[in-house]
Structures are given as C-alpha cells and as structure tokens.
Amino acid sequence: MIGVQPPTPPQKGPHVPENRTPDSRTEVTAGGIARLAGVGRAAVSNWRRRHADFPSAVGGTDTSPTFALHEVEEWLRTQGKLTLVPLRERVWQQVEQDPAGAAAALRQVGAVLLLIREQPGSWAELTGATDHAPADRLPRALAEVLRDRLGEGHPVPVPTAEELPARLPLLRSGAELAGELGPRSAYEFLLGRHLESGPRQYTLTPAEPAELMAELAGGGCAAGAGRTVLDPACGFGGLLVAAEATAAVSGLVATATVSGQEATAAVCGQEATAAVCGQEADPDLAALTALRLALRTDGPVRVRVGDSLRADAFPGLGADAVLCHPPFNERNWGHDELAYDARWEYGFPPRTESELAWVQHALARAREGGTVVLLMPPAAASRRSGRRIRADLLRRGALRAVIALPAGAAPPYGIPLHLWVLRRPGAGVPQPQQLLLVDTGELPTAQEKLPWQTVRTTVLEAWRAFDRHGALPERPGISRTLPLIDLLDDDVDLAPARHLPPSPVGGGAGGLDEIRARLTDTLQRTVELAPLGGERGAPAHWPLTSVGELARAGALLMRAGGAGAVPAGGVPGGAPVPAVLTEHDVVAGNPPSGVLPEGDEEEPVLTRLGDVVVPVLGRGAVARIVDPMTAGAAVGRNVYLLRPDPEALDPWFLAGFLRGTANNRQASSFTTSSTRLDVRRLQLPRLPLAEQRRYGERFRTLAAFEEALRLAGTLGGQLVQGLYDGLTDGSVRPS
C-alpha cells in the first residue's frame, strides 16, 4: 500500500458457498470470532456487552467461553460485519473444536493431505463414491501412503473404519482447503494456527537462527548419495525444515526421524538418497513433524517417538550433519542410569550439565568429519562443572567454534544464546590448533535492533574463512581465532566476550581525531543555530481545536500504527518489505529499525513526506516530521500518524504545538506504572494558514538546533569513551 487509505466499509454478501453448510456442532472462541470479522478481541467483548442479540455462550469457561459457529456467522452477517468466511478459518475452527483436541485433528487432516499430495486420484475416487466407501477403504489407503513415506512404526495413527464417520466432515474440509492452497500450504497454515493458539506450551527455534544453523552445518556434508541430517530433539521440525530449505541451494536434503527401535541402516543408511533423522519425546509433536516434513520433501521421512538420551533410536548412525536445540537446564536427563554409556567419550556429564550430554550425543551420531551445530545457553561455555568436558572437546579437536548471538535471537529471549559448531574427529585428519570465537551482540549499528542479515553475514563469513584456512584475521570486538593452549587453563571459559578485545571507539586512535573534528564542526553549527529568545508577550488566548475535531473535519488524517504483516515466504513478486518506524526510533531521531512480523498478509500504514508521527506511551512531548530518511516506512505500535491537509494545516505548525508541555499534560492519562497520550485530545490554536507558516518556520529551526545537539552529544560520548579506552589499553599516550 502506498500511503494511508480510509477503511473500506463492510459489504453484505453470502457467508459460505451454497454447497457447504456450517457444522452446527462447531464452536468458536472470542479470538476466533475476531479473526472471522477482521477485528480485535476488544471489539468482540464490546459486541457482547452492547448487543443483547449477540449469541450466547454454549461452552468453554467463564473466562474463555465458546459460541456456536453457525450462530456467530448469522449474527455477523445480519450486522453487516461479515462478507465471506474464508475456508481456512472454517477448517481451523473445526480443528480447534475437535473433541479429541487440535493435535489429534491435525494428525488426521495431515494424513489426508499427504494422501492427496501422493495419490490425488485415490482421494477423489474414495470420496466420490458412497458414504460407506470412505469408511471401508480410506483407512487402508491412509495406512499405505503413511507407510510408504514414513516407514514402519511411524507415529501417525490411522483412523479405524468405526472412527472415520465422525471424522469425515473435518477430513473433507481439509481436502477442500488443499484444493484452494495446496496440501503443503494448507497444513502449514493449520499447524501455524495450532502454535499460535498455545504459544507457551512449546519452545520453538525461530526460522532465522534455524537457517543459520543449517548453513553452518552444510559444510560438513560430503558430496554424493546417502547424505543424512539428524535432529535428536526435533520438536515441530524447525531445524529439519531449515535443512530442507538450505538443501535447495547447498545440496543438503532432509528427512526426519523421532525415536523408536527401528533398525537405522534401512532408515538412514548408504542406500538412502537423502535422509534427516530426528528424535522427539512427545508423540503428538513426532506425528505432526513427520507429516510436515513428508508434505515438504520427496525423499523418505522417518519420524519416531522417544527420549534421545535414554532411548537412542539411531545407535549406529553416522550423520553428515547434526542440528539440535536441546532442552536447557534439565536435571532429570538420565544421569543415574546412563553413567556407563559409550557416548561419553569426552567425560561423564555432571547432573547439572545436561547440555554437555546433548553435545556428546550429537557427536556420537555424526560420522567422522561430520558437522554438529547446537544452540546452547551461554552458561554452558563457562560453568566450572563442565570445564573438564570442554577441555577434552578442545584437546581432541572436536569443538571448532563458539558463536554468541544477540539477545532476542531465540528463546529464552532475554539472554544472548551461543551456537557451538563441532566436528567429529577422524583418523588421519590433522588436529586443529585454533578455536573460532565470534560475538555478534556488539556489532555496530545505528538501529534499535540489530538486523539479522548483518548477524548472518558476519557469522558465515567468519566460519567459512576459518573452515578453509584454520585461522582468521582478528576483528576487535567481533571475531578472532585463539590457540587452544591459551584456553586450557583452570576455567576453560569459552565465552567469546571474555576473549575478544573491545571494538575501538571511532576506529582507534586515528579515528578519534576524525570524531573530534566532526564534534568541533557540530558544536560550531549548534552555536549558529542557537535560537534567540524572541519577543516577550502575554500568554495568548487563542481559540482552540483538537486533533480529533480536525480529523473529523477532514483537515488531517489520523491512523494508529502497528498493523501490517508479511507472509512467511515473503511478499509475492519479491516486492521490498518496508522497515518499521518504532516508538524508540521516533523518540531517538533514528531511521526505521523494526521489521514487520510474519502472518497473513496485511497492508501496513506507511509514512509520506510531511507526515507527523507521535509516540503515545510516556515519552514526554515528542512529535516528529517524516523526512526522506523515514518516508515509506511502516508505522509501528504505540505510534500515531497524522497527515495534515497542506491547504488547511502547516505540518511544522502542527508538530510544534503538539510538543507543548501543557498540551501533553491535558491530553495524557495516568496509571500506576505508565502514562498514555490520547492524541485526539491534543490541541492547536485556530490560526490562518499564513500565521501557521510563521510559527512553522520557527519550529523548523528549533528542530534543526535539536538535531545538532543530539549529534554533538553522540560524538562527544564517542570521543570520551574512545579516549578512556585508548589510555587504558596503551593505544593513546598522555601528552
């Protein structure tokens, strides 16, 4: 969308195709009603309070009631709040309200989608016959296609002939959704909704770190047939999906497995053209992951259920690459019963070092020369209880790199997690003498949040250069290689931040001269821009109007930020995705630093030159004019966009009066912990346009002076810190 358009009023129309009637047994939550109508949950709460004819709850709890879907649709259509119920929403409501639970419903729908993908003619033949034919023949067809793709002993249950009649409406709806979206996209949509409905139940590996891990592991895969990838704690298969996506570029192809007792030679042996083996303790996750991968790949998929440490499904596997995001801080990982396990080549892990047990398990399942990448808590690099195992990993050349990610890259989001890159030592291979250390948390950036592409590029460039040459030129504060002997002390502390010299402020001693010159010029400019006090006068008593009144009169357009999302696969056609102008960006005067979230495609509110943006959460008197640096950005949450009509309002006049302290006080509301600005209540004097422009020009000069002061403060801080650093490390001598 270019700019901001007024919302389009709802139009009446049929709510479902005539050949499909809603299942009267399907129930929907308030959140589901909000999705159907395209509104927020607060709007649904308001409808329930204000409309006596709103459908009554038919189930759920007092805090989370459910409503009959067909009654809700009828009410929304009568009120003109619903045009067409998307098929995907109808199918999701059936999945969510399944008596056996959403996971059970997804398993059955996923099996049908796999049948449609593999044997589209079979599904059409079965469902085109009498109602009894599917119940008699569909279980056999599903069992056959699941066995072909997932192998014997797969974790996906097949409905019996007795269970199938109750499932047929859901399965037919799923097949219809596959006709609209395709089997893979239909399943990914339903699985995504399942994850959104219970986000606290699962610890997911975000797509960006997962893709980085797959790219780091790609170098460990030799050319030729029989390549394998293992994830011993695969969850919903995020790492295996990333490996499959990376395969299109690097030649690494994926298949999955989750624990069982099946012989591994037939699953992931040399005869397999491409296999990824994984293991997961939760039966539901194992089944959903198996179906997800089978719908994404053409190769064999083997998913089994079990605890990798206690019941290893692949005791003889030699994978080319192992990817793992293990559970953190587990005490009950099998310490007592696994004391004499053959996998502990580098030392028996203490009870408090479950992560080092996963490291050794991953190494034990890699072939000689195979690459292992694990997402680890930072404490695992420095806890004294694990120092002996870390030392042996270094001495034997298994641990090759420790990479610190920025905080917020993956859960738990409050700490900077590490990536450990290991390679299983092989006979006749020279033992490495260096360890690569990378810290991406301190990469220089002018943005509030470090762009992930910068993190990815920094990590991959360092790893690939180190992997080729065994050493790397030092980048202070970012990366270096360190001789192993320097790390083998009493602590064996492998945290990158402890071994990387700090980045020189301003580029070192020479750069400080440049900063000082820029600071001198900027201070001179602040003197030139310093405003005069102006003529004194009595307080004015202008007639006032409010922003809300101006919006109703058409003198300005007011829009709240926060809308906008991009599809998981990117914008169709490869169109660029706008950056997000966050609340922090507005206050700090920075360029847009945020990113649009993934989700159903939704057009954001975009800025134009001359717009005024105002943060609303306790930031004081702030209003910013959109300049070329911020034009075209999406407006973030807790930011309002005001677009004045240039024939009625001068933008600098508008922004200047919005910054008045008294104006902000009268328009703010207070809670025990925060202040919120009601933009509609902000006031402006009613002045002729020519007089507005006189004030606007003065406000413009004040903004230029303020920007010069901000720059001077930044440069002054860099100069002071750079001199402190230079004097303390010897690069600057006292004169």
Side-chain angles (χ1 to χ4, degrees):
M1 182 179 74
I2 306 299
V4 180
Q5 299 295 333
T8 303
Q11 299 177 354
K12 294 185 178 181
H15 66 297
V16 294
E18 294 181 359
N19 63 347
R20 188 174 73 249
T21 58
D23 186 346
S24 61
R25 294 170 299 178
T26 303
E27 299 175 9
V28 61
T29 63
I33 297 173
R35 284 194 294 268
L36 289 174
V39 299
R41 296 191 182 194
V44 177
S45 298
N46 289 335
W47 294 343
R48 292 185 64 197
R49 289 195 303 268
R50 297 176 182 176
H51 297 274
D53 60 340
F54 190 88
S56 300
V58 296
T61 64
D62 291 340
T63 57
S64 181
T66 58
F67 307 84
L69 178 59
H70 71 283
E71 293 180 3
V72 169
E73 290 177 355
E74 184 64 28
W75 186 86
L76 291 173
R77 190 173 66 257
T78 302
Q79 296 290 324
K81 303 179 186 298
L82 183 67
T83 55
L84 177 68
V85 178
L87 175 60
R88 62 179 65 187
E89 295 294 344
R90 178 175 300 282
V91 178
W92 167 244
Q93 294 303 332
Q94 290 179 268
V95 169
E96 188 178 36
Q97 297 300 323
D98 190 89
L106 279 174
R107 292 197 303 263
Q108 305 305 322
V109 172
V112 168
L113 295 177
L114 184 60
L115 176 64
I116 294 171
R117 181 184 188 268
E118 299 296 320
Q119 303 174 16
S122 297
W123 171 257
E125 179 185 350
L126 288 170
T127 56
T130 65
D131 288 341
H132 297 289
D136 295 337
R137 298 164 53 193
L138 183 57
R140 293 196 300 272
L142 292 176
E144 179 182 346
V145 74
L146 289 169
R147 184 172 57 253
D148 289 346
R149 289 305 312 279
L150 305 181
E152 296 290 348
H154 62 76
V156 183
V158 178
T160 65
E162 292 74 21
E163 297 171 338
L164 195 58
R167 293 283 190 184
L168 274 179
L170 171 63
L171 301 183
R172 291 182 188 275
S173 296
E176 189 175 356
L177 184 61
E180 179 179 294
L181 302 178
R184 168 178 162 175
S185 296
Y187 189 75
E188 289 289 341
F189 167 76
L190 295 174
L191 184 62
R193 277 291 170 83
H194 178 53
L195 296 178
E196 292 173 5
S197 66
R200 297 182 181 179
Q201 299 178 29
Y202 312 110
T203 299
L204 305 178
T205 308
E208 291 171 331
E211 291 166 3
L212 176 59
M213 293 171 69
E215 290 179 292
L216 289 169
C221 297
R227 277 170 281 189
T228 62
V229 181
L230 168 68
D231 182 354
C234 64
F236 277 102
L239 291 173
L240 301 181
V241 169
E244 179 267 334
T246 305
V249 178
S250 68
L252 180 63
V253 188
T255 306
T257 313
V258 191
S259 148
Q261 300 305 317
E262 179 176 320
T264 59
V267 178
C268 299
Q270 292 301 315
E271 295 181 0
T273 56
V276 173
C277 306
Q279 197 162 343
E280 169 57 47
D282 187 301
D284 285 339
L285 300 194
L288 297 177
T289 297
L291 291 165
R292 185 184 189 189
L293 289 163
L295 286 163
R296 296 182 68 96
T297 67
D298 295 322
V301 174
R302 302 293 182 267
V303 180
R304 305 293 177 265
V305 183
D307 183 333
S308 289
L309 296 182
R310 287 187 170 95
D312 182 16
F314 307 106
L317 179 63
D320 296 280
V322 181
L323 307 174
C324 187
H325 179 180
F328 296 165
N329 300 320
E330 275 200 337
R331 297 298 179 95
N332 185 27
W333 57 267
H335 176 270
D336 294 337
E337 59 263 44
L338 298 174
Y340 300 102
D341 197 286
R343 290 170 290 181
W344 315 141
E345 296 182 38
Y346 304 90
F348 180 43
R351 189 184 302 275
T352 57
E353 294 288 351
S354 62
E355 297 87 2
L356 294 182
W358 285 98
V359 167
Q360 295 193 74
H361 171 75
L363 276 170
R365 297 299 162 256
R367 64 165 172 82
E368 290 188 359
T371 304
V372 174
V373 184
L374 294 98
L375 187 63
M376 300 283 282
S382 56
R383 280 192 299 244
R384 288 187 60 82
S385 56
R387 66 188 185 278
R388 293 181 180 177
I389 295 177
R390 292 195 299 271
D392 211 35
L393 289 169
L394 292 175
R395 289 192 190 98
R396 298 178 59 182
L399 183 57
R400 306 303 307 278
V402 178
I403 299 163
L405 299 177
Y413 291 104
I415 58 176
L417 299 181
H418 289 178
L419 292 178
W420 284 25
V421 184
L422 305 100
R423 190 160 287 162
R424 184 169 181 176
V429 178
Q431 184 170 324
Q433 301 298 317
Q434 304 274 337
L435 178 72
L436 173 64
L437 299 170
V438 181
D439 188 353
T440 62
E442 300 299 327
L443 287 172
T445 177
Q447 302 186 20
E448 177 185 6
K449 182 179 180 181
L450 187 65
W452 180 258
Q453 185 59 35
T454 303
V455 175
R456 175 183 173 275
T457 301
T458 301
V459 171
L460 291 179
E461 286 181 352
W463 166 249
R464 288 167 179 167
F466 173 74
D467 199 27
R468 283 194 302 267
H469 307 298
L472 190 73
E474 181 177 300
R475 293 182 63 189
I478 298 174
S479 63
R480 70 179 297 191
T481 55
L482 205 62
L484 301 184
I485 192 64
D486 293 347
L487 295 164
L488 294 172
D489 54 15
D490 290 340
D491 295 325
V492 197
D493 191 334
L494 306 182
R498 298 185 187 277
H499 302 285
L500 291 172
S503 301
V505 177
L512 294 178
D513 293 336
E514 181 182 349
I515 291 179
R516 186 178 187 281
R518 290 182 60 197
L519 176 60
T520 301
D521 293 341
T522 303
L523 290 173
Q524 180 61 38
R525 177 169 171 74
T526 61
V527 173
E528 296 170 357
L529 291 173
L532 300 174
E535 299 178 4
R536 300 294 188 271
H541 298 283
W542 294 301
L544 300 175
T545 186
S546 69
V547 168
E549 291 171 350
L550 291 170
R552 288 191 292 271
L556 61 79
L557 177 66
M558 179 172 61
R559 292 293 301 273
V566 294
V571 178
V577 177
V580 176
L581 185 67
T582 67
E583 180 186 13
H584 179 272
D585 297 333
V586 176
V587 175
N590 291 336
S593 66
V595 294
L596 288 173
E598 290 185 355
D600 294 338
E601 187 173 5
E602 180 183 3
E603 293 182 343
V605 178
L606 300 183
T607 59
R608 293 180 185 172
L609 283 173
D611 289 346
V612 178
V613 285
V614 183
V616 298
L617 286 182
R619 295 289 191 163
V622 178
R624 179 176 172 185
I625 296 286
V626 173
D627 55 17
M629 181 174 63
T630 52
V635 182
R637 294 182 59 189
N638 299 319
V639 178
Y640 266 76
L641 178 143
L642 305 177
R643 178 166 298 155
D645 179 353
E647 300 300 321
L649 275 176
D650 179 79
W652 286 101
F653 166 81
L654 172 63
F657 272 94
L658 294 186
R659 292 194 57 174
T661 301
N663 198 4
N664 275 258
R665 284 178 178 171
Q666 64 83 28
S668 296
S669 57
F670 304 92
T671 67
T672 56
S673 59
S674 65
T675 303
R676 185 174 183 89
L677 181 68
D678 186 347
V679 177
R680 295 174 179 81
R681 292 172 54 189
L682 288 170
Q683 296 177 335
L684 288 85
R686 297 179 181 270
L687 297 178
L689 189 58
E691 188 69 6
Q692 290 181 33
R693 288 171 177 160
R694 286 184 61 238
Y695 276 94
E697 188 58 36
R698 188 66 188 275
F699 289 138
R700 187 197 299 266
T701 61
L702 283 176
F705 176 64
E706 183 180 41
E707 179 60 30
L709 287 175
R710 183 184 291 117
L711 178 59
T714 300
L715 293 172
Q718 291 178 355
L719 179 61
V720 170
Q721 189 60 51
L723 287 171
Y724 271 118
D725 292 345
L727 288 166
T728 55
D729 67 17
S731 60
V732 175
R733 305 288 184 185
S735 56

